Amino acid sequence: MRKIFPVLTVVAAIFAFWYAAVPFMNVKETLTGLERAGAVVVPDNPIERRDASSFGLVLNNSFAIPATYAQERPRLPAPHQVAQDLWKTTVMKKVTSKRSLVYHGWITLSATLLGFAIGTGAGIILAVGIVHSRAMDMSVMPWAIASQTIPILAIAPMIIVVLNSIGIQGLVPKAIISAYLSFFPVVVGMVKGLRAPDAMQMDLLKTYNASDNQGFWKLRLPASMPYLFASLKIGVAAALVGAIVAELPAGGARGLGGRMLTGSYYGQMVQIWSALVFAAVLAASLVLLIGLAQRRALKRMGLT
Amino acid sequence: MTLVILAFVIWVAMWALNTRLANGPRANSRPIQLLVPAIFGLTILVVWELLVHGLNVPLVILPAPSHVVATFFNEIPTLWLDFQQTFIKGALSGYVIGCGAAFATAILVDRYDFLKRGLLPVGNFVAALPIVGTAPILVMWFGFDWQSKAAVVVVMVFFPMLVNTVAGLQETTSMQRDLMRTYGAGYWPSLTKLRLPAAMPFIFNGLKISTTLALIGAIVAEFFGSPTMGMGFRISTSVGQLALDMVWAEIVVAALAGSAFYGVVAMTEKTVTFWHPSQRK
Amino acid sequence: MVPNANSSVISAKALDLTFQTADAPVHALKDVSLDIAQGDFVSFIGPSGCGKTTFLRCIAGLETPTGGTLTVNGMTADEARRARAYGYVFQAAGLYPWRTIAGNIKLPLEIMGYSKADQNDRVARVLDLVELSDFGAKFPWQLSGGMQQRASIARALAFDADILLMDEPFGALDEIVRDHLNEQLLALWTRTNKTIAFVTHSIPEAVYLSTKIVVMSPRPGRITDVIDSPLPKERPLDIRDTPEFIEIAHRVREGLRAGHEDD
């Protein structure tokens, strides 16, 4: 209770702020609509209203406040509008429907998971190579580290279009971008992990005359697990972002990224917010799942 | 075909050379440590160039490095304009505002335990979310110009910076805090003389993470709408026109800007936290 | 008011301190009464958990006793802390790595609002006192452990508090360095005539340094013996081989053993 209470307070404060902001964000459009429907609004001139401050408009037209929470196309949807839309597009729609968020979420999620698996696998293999070969270490590692300072995401549209032009479409191009984004954090984290055993532990194995292979399986690999899981969490979040951004130039309006893009084209704020919340829940669940796996694995290894 | 074979031969030769250098007697010297990755990078470029010519890879799939370099130098005025729009106006201003706001919030959060216990879990949660997704919303609120890009950057860098700074401010030992108490030092002296200096490594960690996020945020936000310039705008329109040499030229700019930005922050860190075990010579 | 030679600077009467932990209350201090006079060098010795450090922290106002009275310079411990009545030396030097040695010594002076010129004078003076004059511009991590601890003593001396509270300051140092620092500390005490309360778990160190040795024992933390040392104020290192020294050491050891028997 002592832990939950402050968190709940902060969350409640965020929602309170959100609700408080809705009238000010939506007042202009609301007044235009009400005026058209015959209500008397102050000032009654749309141009004057455009230049007036939202604060004054809300004060002078307090009767319009309830209406600001029920706009068809609000600038800032109220939380309950987003919740309603989420309910409508997840539970109430068949998952095969083009208007179901579950359908779009799955499209994004499948690309994320495939990419994440590829990226992680390749990352671990490269890390093992780097730890075993000095030449590889010195050649590749500086580039792997430097690449983390570069906005790799910027090449997403290009990869999509290039792969498209050679006939690869759908899941695979997005998965490649996801893989690419999760790859580098895993390489860097895993190399760090495989190098985690200190000199004394390595010397102990030397006194047993253990082979390199034995050293890897019995010492380096177990020691790397905490590092691996830490980078998996970063990697999966990056993979999801990659999949979403990869959906932007595809233009097919499929996936969560596609929902955001079409929402932005047609001014459907509620749709963007639902997609955003859905993506957030997805990201949080993925990180949580890896956290659970981490706890179980480390517990079995006696590391926690 | 000969070019492909040549590429293969160069690759093998590079690898043999790097293996010798890396296992040689002077492998730990500074020049060798710089030389080996440089050889590797250069070989990648040469092999790329040879393969593109040897296999006649069309421009719309992969331009040769020489082609990209030529485009880069021919298009410098455009690239410079895009750089100013995206990096200086969008990323940099958002970075300064976002990191500054996060820093101020962190000081406030740190002072009140209730806020700390409430905001930190929320901040950690938000830091893991796909925040780029707010880009379409912010573009709609703040318009197509750089203000909306800066807003996206602010949202993106805020939470990582907040979480790092708060963690840093807690990074003092009980002995260090007791020492301040024996001097009867109040809140402000403890903050400025002990907790802020001790937090610097963490603060810089947040600042470094934020450099990359800022650039990503500014570029991706342009995919949702921008004036007719900017790195993200140029990338998406050039992709549409299949002008991949221009896309690659923008990527070169992004890579240079990203690593230079990171480098500047890392250099500042070195001078500020010279005392930290990881920075001592 | 300057206290005269036999007035007590620190006075504890029936001091109790109980920590509430999850399973059972811990009696860190029980019925501790002690008077420390101006110019005394008092050592607290005992096994871990006997409350010697806790008592020192009470004097410093870092812990609040749950019963009894405690005055420092005639004030409560917390008032004395605010009045900056003492300098405190911890087990580790705890110097800030981002400040030079001189900068570290300036730290309390800055907090207490001394003028810039005064700060520099004082730094020079205490650096001289601990024989670190040539190292003011160095950073702590460039110095040996013994030198770091000397710097931390200088830091505690810089603002001229009459009382010096030291919590196992030499515990982490090796024997040779420790002997040297003990000698220096005695010389410093003779010169400055400060009142020193010193926590240690080394019998020779306690006997060599102190005018008064307080033997403590655990569960509950309490004083089992107070020994007034007959040794002269001038103490060369080889005083440790004299019969008087060995006799006091013997009595301390007996006191420690007695404390253990009723476990």
Side-chain angles (χ1 to χ4, degrees):
Chain A
M1 197 56 212
R2 233 186 114 256
K3 271 189 179 164
I4 293 286
F5 181 65
V7 178
L8 287 181
T9 313
V10 167
V11 172
I14 292 173
F15 273 99
F17 180 76
W18 187 346
Y19 268 108
V22 168
F24 301 101
M25 291 295 288
N26 296 341
V27 67
K28 285 178 191 172
E29 290 78 4
T30 309
L31 290 180
T32 310
L34 287 174
E35 190 178 39
R36 213 172 285 148
V40 181
V41 302
V42 189
D44 55 4
N45 179 346
I47 299 184
E48 260 177 66
R49 277 207 304 275
R50 197 192 62 199
D51 298 329
S53 82
S54 313
F55 195 72
L57 286 176
V58 172
L59 276 186
N60 292 332
N61 300 285
S62 51
F63 73 93
I65 290 178
T68 57
Y69 289 100
Q71 287 293 293
E72 184 80 11
R73 289 163 68 171
R75 259 158 70 81
L76 174 64
H80 65 263
Q81 287 177 298
V82 177
Q84 273 165 8
D85 188 67
L86 270 173
W87 176 262
K88 217 170 63 196
T89 51
T90 52
V91 183
M92 302 301 282
K93 286 269 184 312
K94 267 206 270 183
V95 292
T96 49
S97 159
K98 281 252 163 85
R99 301 179 67 181
S100 163
L101 259 189
V102 180
Y103 166 81
H104 290 286
W106 170 246
I107 289 175
T108 306
L109 181 65
S110 53
T112 304
L113 291 180
L114 179 63
F116 177 60
I118 298 171
T120 305
I124 292 175
I125 291 171
L126 182 63
V128 172
I130 284 175
V131 170
H132 273 99
S133 151
R134 259 190 80 75
M136 222 154 141
D137 176 19
M138 290 175 72
S139 309
V140 181
M141 208 48 198
W143 295 107
I145 292 171
S147 75
Q148 292 199 311
T149 68
I150 298 170
I152 299 174
L153 210 52
I155 67 167
M158 185 185 62
I159 294 183
I160 297 289
V161 169
V162 166
L163 290 178
N164 204 2
S165 71
I166 54 173
I168 303 174
Q169 284 176 334
L171 186 65
V172 177
K174 291 194 279 176
I176 289 177
I177 290 166
S178 285
Y180 197 60
L181 284 175
S182 51
F183 174 70
F184 287 108
V186 171
V187 173
V188 175
M190 192 69 186
V191 167
K192 215 186 217 171
L194 290 172
R195 294 231 169 97
D198 59 31
M200 201 186 69
Q201 288 169 314
M202 298 300 287
D203 282 348
L204 181 70
L205 284 188
K206 257 187 220 159
T207 67
Y208 302 153
N209 195 23
S211 68
D212 274 1
N213 247 329
Q214 288 169 318
F216 178 78
W217 290 108
K218 296 207 184 300
L219 178 59
R220 284 187 188 275
L221 195 65
S224 72
M225 282 303 129
Y227 294 84
L228 175 64
F229 278 109
S231 33
L232 286 185
K233 283 185 194 166
I234 300 171
V236 81
L240 183 64
V241 171
I244 291 175
V245 173
E247 282 159 353
L248 298 181
R254 279 152 45 101
L256 295 176
R259 290 290 281 181
M260 289 176 191
L261 197 66
T262 47
S264 134
Y265 279 159
Y266 301 112
Q268 288 287 358
M269 276 301 215
V270 183
Q271 182 182 324
I272 301 179
W273 279 90
S274 321
L276 186 62
V277 171
F278 198 87
V281 171
L282 217 52
S285 327
L286 289 173
V287 173
L288 203 72
L289 272 179
I290 292 178
L292 284 179
Q294 172 181 30
R295 210 177 302 161
R296 285 197 59 178
L298 295 190
K299 202 167 210 168
R300 269 191 59 186
M301 292 166 52
L303 280 177
T304 41
Chain B
M1 201 59 215
T2 45
L3 289 179
V4 178
I5 294 169
L6 185 61
F8 181 75
V9 170
I10 288 180
W11 177 263
V12 172
M14 175 283 291
W15 200 247
L17 175 64
N18 265 0
T19 307
R20 273 198 63 176
L21 284 175
N23 296 309
R26 296 188 56 241
N28 287 324
S29 68
R30 189 91 187 126
I32 300 285
Q33 298 238 310
L34 289 175
L35 188 63
V36 170
I39 293 175
F40 180 76
L42 204 65
T43 312
I44 296 259
L45 288 181
V46 170
V47 168
W48 173 357
E49 180 83 37
L50 291 174
L51 286 183
V52 166
H53 291 297
L55 298 173
N56 284 323
V57 179
L59 172 68
V60 296
I61 290 178
L62 190 66
S66 57
H67 194 150
V68 174
V69 171
T71 310
F72 181 89
F73 284 106
N74 289 334
E75 298 287 350
I76 278 184
T78 315
L79 294 173
W80 176 242
L81 214 62
D82 293 344
F83 172 80
Q84 279 179 314
Q85 171 73 15
T86 305
F87 185 80
I88 309 277
K89 290 186 185 163
L92 209 55
S93 62
Y95 179 83
V96 171
I97 298 170
C99 289
F103 181 78
T105 313
I107 301 279
L108 194 73
V109 165
D110 176 71
R111 177 135 204 204
Y112 302 102
D113 195 48
F114 186 83
L115 273 181
K116 189 158 41 186
R117 280 183 289 138
L119 257 178
L120 264 200
V122 176
N124 270 318
F125 175 76
V126 176
L129 299 183
I131 300 182
V132 260
T134 58
I137 296 166
L138 292 168
V139 168
M140 224 174 248
W141 285 354
F142 293 95
F144 280 176
D145 209 349
W146 62 270
Q147 291 88 344
S148 63
K149 316 305 176 283
V152 173
V153 174
V154 168
V155 179
M156 281 189 80
V157 302
F158 184 82
F159 286 99
M161 183 67 191
L162 175 72
V163 171
N164 269 289
T165 309
V166 172
L169 287 172
Q170 291 174 311
E171 192 53 21
T172 51
T173 62
S174 64
M175 201 186 78
Q176 289 173 321
R177 288 192 297 272
D178 279 345
L179 181 70
M180 294 311 267
R181 285 176 65 198
T182 69
Y183 299 149
Y187 170 78
W188 288 107
S190 318
L191 182 70
T192 54
K193 298 204 187 294
L194 169 61
R195 308 195 23 250
L196 273 182
M200 279 306 158
F202 285 76
I203 292 174
F204 271 100
N205 194 31
L207 287 174
K208 284 195 291 191
I209 295 172
S210 296
T211 57
T212 321
L213 290 176
L215 212 46
I216 290 176
I219 293 176
V220 172
E222 288 180 5
F223 295 163
F224 287 97
S226 65
T228 54
M229 57 184 166
M231 292 155 73
F233 165 80
R234 196 76 58 202
I235 288 175
S236 53
T237 47
S238 300
V239 161
Q241 298 157 354
L242 297 177
L244 284 203
D245 51 335
M246 191 61 188
V247 177
W248 278 99
E250 286 286 357
I251 289 170
V252 171
V253 175
L256 289 178
S259 37
F261 193 9
Y262 186 93
V264 167
V265 175
M267 296 272 274
T268 318
E269 177 185 28
K270 235 185 177 126
T271 48
V272 173
T273 66
F274 64 93
W275 49 270
H276 194 257
S278 65
Q279 305 283 0
R280 285 178 206 159
K281 275 171 224 124
Chain C
M1 184 196 84
V2 180
N4 60 39
N6 41 26
S7 75
S8 66
V9 175
I10 298 165
S11 169
K13 287 196 181 59
L15 215 58
D16 278 320
L17 177 54
T18 312
F19 290 116
Q20 295 299 335
T21 61
D23 27 272
V26 174
H27 297 282
L29 290 175
K30 190 160 168 64
D31 198 21
V32 171
S33 297
L34 186 73
D35 280 295
I36 299 176
Q38 152 72 38
D40 265 351
F41 195 127
V42 183
S43 286
F44 298 90
I45 189 163
S48 58
C50 73
K52 53 191 193 296
T53 293
T54 310
F55 186 43
L56 200 71
R57 290 173 63 86
C58 284
I59 297 172
L62 295 174
E63 307 280 357
T64 314
T66 44
T69 57
L70 173 66
T71 58
V72 178
N73 280 350
M75 300 174 264
T76 68
D78 209 49
E79 284 165 354
R81 175 171 71 83
R82 280 178 227 280
R84 287 123 184 188
Y86 61 84
Y88 200 105
V89 179
F90 291 87
Q91 286 175 7
L95 301 165
Y96 292 173
W98 53 86
R99 283 173 174 252
T100 60
I101 295 298
N104 268 286
I105 296 170
K106 267 185 202 157
L107 174 75
L109 304 175
E110 287 169 10
I111 292 172
M112 298 174 189
Y114 287 81
S115 73
K116 275 261 158 0
D118 200 8
Q119 286 181 19
N120 291 330
D121 286 350
R122 282 164 182 271
V123 168
R125 202 188 69 214
V126 292
L127 275 178
D128 188 45
L129 219 50
V130 298
E131 296 174 19
L132 282 177
S133 292
D134 296 338
F135 297 91
K138 291 267 190 223
F139 284 94
W141 30 274
Q142 296 168 322
L143 266 54
S144 70
M147 288 163 109
Q148 289 184 26
Q149 197 53 283
R150 264 150 63 195
S152 91
I153 294 172
R155 183 178 59 185
L157 293 172
F159 48 98
D160 281 333
D162 290 325
I163 305 169
L164 201 52
L165 305 176
M166 308 179 85
D167 181 10
E168 292 189 37
F170 310 137
L173 305 175
D174 69 56
E175 190 100 21
I176 297 164
V177 176
R178 188 181 231 200
D179 277 351
H180 182 59
L181 289 183
N182 280 343
E183 250 186 315
Q184 280 191 313
L185 180 61
L186 265 189
L188 197 139
W189 171 66
T190 322
R191 239 185 310 167
T192 57
N193 198 30
K194 288 193 188 300
T195 311
I196 299 183
F198 188 97
V199 168
T200 179
H201 53 228
S202 151
I203 297 174
E205 189 173 68
V207 177
Y208 176 67
L209 291 172
S210 320
T211 57
K212 191 190 278 237
I213 301 155
V214 178
V215 184
M216 298 182 73
S217 75
R219 283 177 300 268
R222 64 196 187 279
I223 295 177
T224 49
D225 197 4
V226 177
I227 303 162
D228 284 305
S229 171
L231 296 178
K233 226 174 171 181
E234 278 300 313
R235 300 176 187 182
L237 266 181
D238 53 20
I239 202 172
R240 294 183 296 188
D241 303 323
T242 62
E244 292 89 344
F245 187 98
I246 291 166
E247 201 197 308
I248 305 167
H250 180 73
R251 194 173 149 196
V252 173
R253 196 167 291 116
E254 288 300 311
L256 289 173
R257 200 170 293 159
H260 255 278
E261 267 160 17
D262 37 60
D263 267 356

